[in-house]
Amino acid sequence: MQIRISWPSGQLTATLDETPTAKALTEALPISASAHTWGEEVYFDTGICVALEPGALQVVEPGTVAFWTEGDALALPYGPTPISRGGESRLASPCNVLGSFDGDPRLLATVRDGDPVRVELA
């Protein structure tokens, strides 16, 4: 499954794995929200509530599409966060891993706090 995430200054597509959370997300699309930034991570509310899956991770590769179950939010790290050790991408808590971006995740650096974000099927 592919999704497109767009904001005023750019967009990226991502390929999602077949997971329960990815299925719940795609069934809720399209989603529009306000972006928040936390270090080199963009996150935003999705309006969906899912359980933490086995295999959830706190440290992920930049460009991972993750779901933060504690905030019902997509978490999109493209570099270190305030709690990272070294150059790792450390999320606020373990998150369900949904997939990864197809392009350069550093493009997320152009997202500003409060930007409108839209997620839809690609």
Side-chain angles (χ1 to χ4, degrees):
M1 287 180 281
Q2 275 199 318
I3 60 170
R4 178 181 304 105
I5 300 173
S6 54
W7 60 96
S9 58
Q11 69 175 15
L12 280 168
T13 59
T15 301
L16 303 185
D17 301 325
E18 296 287 335
T19 69
T21 303
K23 185 176 188 307
L25 176 68
T26 56
E27 287 174 355
L29 296 180
I31 293 170
S32 294
S34 245
H36 302 283
T37 57
W38 187 57
E40 293 187 3
E41 176 188 311
V42 174
Y43 70 97
F44 50 88
D45 182 59
T46 62
I48 63 173
C49 183
V50 297
L52 200 61
E53 294 177 9
L57 299 172
Q58 186 169 11
V59 177
V60 296
E61 290 296 317
T64 297
V65 177
F67 191 89
W68 183 39
T69 59
E70 293 176 25
D72 299 334
L74 275 181
L76 311 173
Y78 58 92
T81 66
I83 61 170
S84 292
R85 298 176 189 140
E88 71 184 10
S89 290
R90 182 176 293 265
L91 304 169
S93 58
C95 292
N96 296 339
V97 174
L98 306 186
S100 60
F101 283 106
D102 303 321
D104 183 359
R106 303 269 333 147
L107 190 57
L108 290 167
T110 65
V111 177
R112 298 290 166 243
D113 206 56
D115 273 356
V117 179
R118 181 174 168 86
V119 184
E120 58 197 340
L121 289 173

